[in-house]
Amino acid sequence: MSTAMSGIYYIDRKQQPLILTAQSYVAVQSKQQLIFFPQLEISSHASPLQRRPKAFLSLLQPDGIYLLTPAMRLLLLLGTLLLPTMASPCHFPAIFNFGDSNSDTGGLSAAFGPVPWPYGETFFKMPAGRYSDGRLIVDFSAESLGLPHISAFLDSVAANFSHGANFATSLSTILPQNVTLARGGYSPFSLDVQLKQFLQLRHRSRAVYRRGGVFGHLMPKEEHFARALYMFDIGQNDLTALYFQNVSATPYLSAALKELSRVVQTVYERGGRSFWIHNTGPLGCLPYVLVRVPPAASRLDSSGCSILFNALAEQFNTMLNETVAQLRKRLPLASLILTDIYSVKDSLFRRAAIYGFERPLQACCGHGGGAYNFDADVWCGDTAEVDGTRVLLGKSSRKPWKRIVWDGAHYTEAANKWVFHHISGGEFSHPPVPLSMACGKKTPIT
């Protein structure tokens, strides 16, 4: 069963949803608890699934009503009754996040200046350090686990690390880059620097917490480091870096994923046990890439996305799969969940209208109009002096909840929420485990 066939399909309006996963598992979800059964047969009135399963599954739509075989119904009923004793959430006390702008909650903004309005307009009603109109996947993750939004490690104003820390910054890469941020390059906070920040917090927070007082309450407890969820969403900027610097892809990606592996293993050696790793999305569908693609590489697919850049993203993801597989062998006590962000976002771009979105390749907040509404010289929030008056050039549309791309390089809150909804249940993860149970069965060592 391909990932594209994954999804939630309701048996009927009163019963629990049936989840078809890429690993051909069937699950019953009840109160954020999940139990898995091996491959079981689904049937409809005409039983087309038995004759052409792939063709039939590709036509299924969420919220459709489908029938189950009697044996399947019995197993689902038993599974629902057994759920309270067989499965329980992990109760993560903290999240430690490593990444780039897809999960930056204020790191780059704290270091180099705040993002301007209208960033943050939808949820925060003000710029909040996020490169979106609202919340990111890391925010929805924290909310779903009953945690507050995670403070950026670099933000010294009103930061609270008692429930984790976010080391991600916009424009971060796995491998350090030679082109500085001041010259239009990348963040100095590459993954190796983010690891050093984590290790510093890990070391220094212990003493601060023991001293107590107001600062002690802002630090994570010692046991939180072993029980926390460690999230990784990084690599997108490495792809643009290697391409526009004319670097050979395979050697660069091998080095990058070797570095990612080293960082994960170091966190593991410091007590981390639960890892939620995202692959990279369809880079070729973002306006900031589409407007920079040279003519020789301008081939577009049926959705209007760059074939070349999406192929590069897929190469990264294939190599990431192998990297995580090797980590599982070396880190026997770790729960390593690899989530297929690419497939979810690719489906969103390709079926935008079906999911209630408009103009999938056009920036919601930008300048210039046209197919992409993106100008590399006038970003969202940029202003200019016109006849003695400061005028906002990079404006947002009136319906950001209908758009996928926010500023040409990042996603809207609506898109982030949609993606999180589809990945949090585990149907796009390997192994197919929901976020609330990503700690696995092994007891962390403190």
Side-chain angles (χ1 to χ4, degrees):
M1 185 183 295
S2 70
T3 305
M5 300 168 193
S6 302
I8 300 176
Y9 306 95
Y10 289 88
I11 304 164
D12 61 46
R13 297 299 181 190
K14 296 182 180 180
Q15 291 182 304
Q16 299 297 331
L18 170 69
I19 299 177
L20 305 177
T21 75
Q23 287 72 28
S24 299
Y25 278 77
V26 176
V28 180
Q29 191 172 22
S30 176
K31 297 181 180 179
Q32 295 185 341
Q33 295 176 322
L34 212 63
I35 182 170
F36 291 95
F37 300 99
Q39 300 176 10
L40 295 171
E41 187 178 46
I42 307 169
S43 66
S44 71
H45 287 295
S47 300
L49 180 62
Q50 296 176 5
R51 299 193 306 269
R52 298 179 61 193
K54 291 186 178 181
F56 178 68
L57 287 173
S58 66
L59 296 175
L60 295 182
Q61 295 295 328
D63 298 324
I65 301 175
Y66 304 96
L67 299 180
L68 303 179
T69 62
M72 184 96 164
R73 289 183 178 277
L74 177 61
L75 283 173
L76 290 175
L77 175 62
L78 291 174
T80 303
L81 295 175
L82 292 173
L83 270 174
T85 59
M86 294 183 66
S88 61
C90 296
H91 301 297
F92 293 112
I95 294 175
F96 295 101
N97 183 74
F98 302 81
D100 51 30
S101 56
N102 289 312
S103 58
D104 180 0
T105 55
L108 197 76
S109 177
F112 296 102
V115 294
W117 178 265
Y119 285 90
E121 66 173 7
T122 295
F123 181 79
F124 301 100
K125 308 305 178 184
M126 60 181 290
R130 292 154 175 81
Y131 288 84
S132 176
D133 62 313
R135 290 165 291 180
L136 312 178
I137 290 175
V138 67
D139 294 314
F140 289 113
S141 300
E143 291 176 7
S144 74
L145 298 174
L147 299 174
H149 293 162
I150 309 305
S151 295
F153 179 77
L154 292 170
D155 192 353
S156 59
V157 180
N160 184 342
F161 302 129
S162 62
H163 295 285
N166 191 352
F167 307 100
T169 67
S170 179
L171 294 171
S172 284
T173 51
I174 298 175
L175 294 181
Q177 302 297 311
N178 295 324
V179 184
T180 65
L181 191 63
R183 294 187 175 184
Y186 297 89
S187 168
F189 304 105
S190 49
L191 187 57
D192 62 321
V193 178
Q194 294 182 29
L195 175 63
K196 291 175 183 176
Q197 293 172 335
F198 165 74
L199 295 176
Q200 181 179 182
L201 177 66
R202 179 82 171 83
H203 175 71
R204 297 180 62 191
S205 63
R206 182 181 306 173
V208 176
Y209 182 82
R210 287 176 178 173
R211 282 200 301 266
V214 61
F215 295 110
H217 290 298
L218 298 176
M219 294 294 110
K221 296 179 181 179
E222 175 65 20
E223 60 267 25
H224 284 185
F225 288 98
R227 296 175 52 213
L229 176 68
Y230 291 87
M231 292 178 58
F232 288 80
D233 188 339
I234 192 168
Q236 176 176 311
N237 294 317
D238 289 270
L239 300 183
T240 56
L242 75 86
Y243 182 82
F244 290 111
Q245 294 174 25
N246 198 26
V247 176
S248 180
T250 301
Y252 181 100
L253 294 180
S254 295
L257 291 169
K258 182 178 180 181
E259 173 65 4
L260 176 63
S261 179
R262 181 189 74 85
V263 171
V264 171
Q265 182 158 341
T266 301
V267 172
Y268 176 86
E269 291 168 352
R270 298 303 189 278
R273 291 295 180 265
S274 304
F275 299 87
W276 198 32
I277 302 172
H278 298 174
N279 67 12
T280 198
L283 182 62
C285 297
L286 298 176
Y288 89 106
V289 168
L290 288 167
V291 300
R292 298 171 67 186
V293 176
S298 62
R299 288 192 305 136
L300 305 177
D301 63 19
S302 59
S303 299
C305 302
S306 168
I307 295 173
L308 185 149
F309 277 93
N310 279 355
L312 193 60
E314 289 176 337
Q315 181 181 355
F316 173 87
N317 293 339
T318 298
M319 296 173 71
L320 177 62
N321 291 346
E322 179 58 30
T323 298
V324 174
Q326 293 302 316
L327 279 169
R328 290 193 183 104
K329 295 177 182 179
R330 297 204 307 268
L331 313 179
L333 295 180
S335 171
L336 288 151
I337 310 299
L338 179 58
T339 297
D340 187 8
I341 289 283
Y342 184 98
S343 291
V344 179
K345 289 183 175 179
D346 182 64
S347 177
L348 180 58
F349 279 111
R350 295 182 185 282
R351 303 172 183 172
I354 295 175
Y355 299 133
F357 291 89
E358 303 171 351
R359 305 174 187 176
L361 301 182
Q362 189 180 77
C364 174
C365 182
H367 178 75
Y372 306 127
N373 190 35
F374 179 80
D375 185 335
D377 296 320
V378 183
W379 278 73
C380 175
D382 281 356
T383 61
E385 194 81 22
V386 179
D387 296 329
T389 303
R390 180 61 57 176
V391 176
L392 178 65
L393 297 182
K395 302 177 182 179
S396 66
S397 75
R398 296 179 180 179
K399 298 180 180 180
W401 60 89
K402 287 281 190 180
R403 307 295 278 276
I404 296 174
V405 179
W406 168 243
D407 59 3
H410 309 102
Y411 293 82
T412 61
E413 173 175 291
N416 287 326
K417 185 177 183 178
W418 189 92
V419 171
F420 176 76
H421 172 75
H422 284 77
I423 65 174
S424 59
E427 55 266 30
F428 288 92
S429 294
H430 177 71
V433 175
L435 174 60
S436 62
M437 295 176 64
C439 56
K441 299 179 180 179
K442 299 181 176 70
T443 303
I445 297 175
T446 59

